[in-house]
Amino acid sequence: MKSIIIAIDGWSSCGKSTMAKQMAKELNYLYVDSGAMYRAITLYFLRQSVDFDKPKEIEKALAEIELDFRYNETSGQADMYLNDENVEYMIRDLIVAEKVSEVAAIKEVREFAVAAQQKMGEKKGVIMDGRDIGTVVFPKAELKIFMTADNAVRVERRFKEMIAKNPNVTIEEVAENIQMRDYIDSNREHSPLRQAEDAIVIDNTNLTREQQLKKALDLAKQAMR
Ligand code: DC
């Protein structure tokens, strides 16, 4: 079996990360949550009150950012670190979610994140999920999956996840955020969310986690031959 790169792209909250994490575990691959990187950059920009319209401020802030993933013994997963601080919990907050698509649309931010992501894939054996992994980060990935699910299902899933952390969050807020992110992510000028021509679509609206995992693992095994 050869070592490959698996790119998983798709809309917000359609279960990409859940599936990618399960696949990485089964295949003993490195999992990279590229969205976490955009979220950590957004957190830094918010903390430093960076003006998103000022390229100089953006460049200065990016030069101060160091991102890395570190294994968390308790959860068995990698946490996002921003300048040596574990920000895994904070970056999932709605405050970050409300601004992340705007930040991820900035050309300098994309160049910074894509360069780091490509470096992580140098040795292959990687599963990365995001919006532009199969189109921009790894256009030659041996397997590209494009995930989708019905809107109402995506809202429901994300709402359940968020209410567990913040009991004040409403389903309307979550729906609005997902709709806004989908719009910005797929309409931005620089590497918008697109299905790569050679991507295989998995619609998981009516699939259990086990069913979708089996489908994806079958595809991975074929691609590794
Ligand atoms: O996957 P996520 O919801 O954590 O991603 C957060 C945001 O980051 C998403 O709304 C768009 C952006 N993103 C991106 O532009 N490109 C990626 N490869 C991953 C995420």
Side-chain angles (χ1 to χ4, degrees):
M1 290 256 178
K2 59 180 185 202
S3 191
I4 64 168
I5 290 183
I6 302 176
I8 303 181
D9 290 303
W11 304 99
S12 287
S13 308
C14 63
K16 298 183 299 293
S17 309
T18 307
M19 190 182 82
K21 275 181 207 157
Q22 289 175 318
M23 286 177 81
K25 207 169 169 193
E26 291 285 332
L27 299 170
N28 204 11
Y29 267 36
L30 172 72
Y31 164 64
V32 180
D33 175 356
S34 72
M37 299 168 74
Y38 291 100
R39 286 172 180 266
I41 295 169
T42 303
L43 178 65
Y44 190 78
F45 281 16
L46 290 173
R47 282 176 171 176
Q48 304 295 318
S49 309
V50 171
D51 184 337
F52 303 164
D53 292 324
K54 297 214 171 103
K56 281 245 148 62
E57 278 191 32
I58 289 165
E59 272 165 35
K60 180 177 172 289
L62 288 173
E64 292 160 0
I65 292 179
E66 211 172 291
L67 298 178
D68 60 331
F69 290 97
R70 293 187 202 162
Y71 186 73
N72 178 329
E73 297 259 349
T74 317
S75 65
Q77 281 161 8
D79 287 346
M80 182 82 254
Y81 277 73
L82 165 66
N83 296 338
D84 282 332
E85 175 193 353
N86 186 337
V87 292
E88 184 60 36
Y89 188 79
M90 238 173 293
I91 58 171
R92 310 290 162 192
D93 199 281
L94 204 54
I95 296 169
V96 172
E98 272 167 359
K99 291 287 170 200
V100 65
S101 284
E102 215 180 308
V103 171
I106 300 169
K107 186 168 155 266
E108 292 79 3
V109 169
R110 300 213 71 80
E111 285 168 358
F112 175 86
V114 169
Q117 290 152 7
Q118 287 174 335
K119 206 150 191 280
M120 291 177 202
E122 270 170 0
K123 293 190 188 130
K124 302 228 175 180
V126 167
I127 300 187
M128 197 175 290
D129 79 335
R131 306 293 187 287
D132 61 339
I133 311 304
T135 51
V136 176
V137 182
F138 299 121
K140 292 191 179 144
E142 288 84 352
L143 174 61
K144 299 178 187 177
I145 296 176
F146 191 84
M147 289 192 52
T148 174
D150 279 359
N151 226 355
V153 171
R154 294 196 286 137
V155 170
E156 187 67 39
R157 285 180 189 155
R158 182 52 62 106
F159 177 62
K160 274 192 191 145
E161 216 175 88
M162 299 210 69
I163 194 105
K165 280 193 198 169
N166 173 5
N168 296 321
V169 78
T170 66
I171 196 152
E172 289 77 21
E173 276 176 317
V174 174
E176 215 172 281
N177 180 256
I178 289 181
Q179 195 183 15
M180 176 198 73
R181 289 202 287 139
D182 282 352
Y183 182 82
I184 301 179
D185 295 347
S186 52
N187 286 286
R188 67 184 175 218
E189 186 187 348
H190 308 290
S191 44
L193 167 64
R194 289 267 178 282
Q195 181 187 326
E197 272 179 21
D198 48 350
I200 297 163
V201 176
I202 296 185
D203 180 337
N204 66 14
T205 309
N206 297 308
L207 295 180
T208 63
R209 284 185 180 187
E210 292 71 31
Q211 286 168 329
Q212 77 170 5
L213 177 63
K214 182 174 181 315
K215 234 178 213 254
L217 285 176
D218 287 347
L219 292 172
K221 281 169 193 155
Q222 275 173 33
M224 286 170 172
R225 275 196 205 127

